[in-house]
Amino acid sequence: LSGRFDGRGHVIRGLYINRPGEDYVGLFGYISSGGEVRNIRLEDCWVSGRDYVGGLVGRNNGTVSQSYSTGAVSGDNYVGGLVGYNYNGTVSESYSTGGVSGDDYVGGLVGYSGGTVSESYSTGGVSGYWSVGGLVGVNWGTVSESYSTGLVLGDWSVGGLVGRNG
């Protein structure tokens, strides 16, 4: 997506995506720089992919705001309840409440972030192997005014908020 999508608060219920051998999996697989997704709600989703997997967005280089995801998200690497890989984008005023599982770079809201995460939260359980965080698995960017309350399980670089920071 390189344009703008405003969900206007509408809810998508029961989203089911089962692509365990594919990358860039989510309602939106890839949001490019300048792209924007806002005001969309995903409820009772089930999303499965390989790398760059999120309930809403697989990879974000743009902006995600005022959105949420509830349900289960699973994959191998760069897996998040809302966004799998936030390369240089922004995630704000958003949340995720579902369970998230993967191997490396796994987060309740965002699996890997090199951008900005602000005014957001996650409450679901998160499990993985390396760089596992309740909110963000790996953070090379900025996290502000955000929190996480879910159970986090992993083997290396595990944190209640961020698994690995910088």
Side-chain angles (χ1 to χ4, degrees):
L1 176 72
S2 58
R4 293 183 179 176
F5 179 87
D6 186 341
R8 297 186 180 172
H10 289 282
V11 175
I12 296 174
R13 286 187 182 88
L15 175 69
Y16 177 84
I17 301 173
N18 186 22
R19 297 182 178 170
E22 294 186 30
D23 298 338
Y24 306 103
V25 177
L27 180 62
F28 296 92
Y30 184 94
I31 298 175
S32 65
S33 178
E36 180 181 0
V37 172
R38 61 184 296 127
N39 296 317
I40 187 72
R41 287 93 167 99
L42 296 179
E43 295 182 357
D44 300 319
C45 71
W46 192 89
V47 178
S48 175
R50 184 175 58 193
D51 296 340
Y52 310 103
V53 182
L56 183 62
V57 181
R59 178 175 170 156
N60 177 45
N61 288 11
T63 301
V64 173
S65 64
Q66 300 170 339
S67 298
Y68 69 76
S69 171
T70 70
V73 179
S74 64
D76 292 340
N77 306 300
Y78 308 102
V79 183
L82 191 71
V83 176
Y85 187 79
N86 185 42
Y87 176 69
N88 195 23
T90 299
V91 176
S92 66
E93 300 175 71
S94 298
Y95 68 88
S96 174
T97 64
V100 181
S101 62
D103 292 328
D104 301 332
Y105 317 113
V106 184
L109 186 74
V110 177
Y112 179 104
S113 182
T116 300
V117 175
S118 65
E119 300 177 69
S120 298
Y121 67 90
S122 174
T123 62
V126 183
S127 64
Y129 176 71
W130 187 70
S131 296
V132 183
L135 186 74
V136 178
V138 172
N139 177 53
W140 286 93
T142 302
V143 174
S144 65
E145 300 179 67
S146 299
Y147 68 91
S148 171
T149 62
L151 176 65
V152 181
L153 301 171
D155 293 323
W156 299 95
S157 298
V158 179
L161 187 67
V162 175
R164 180 176 175 205
N165 193 43

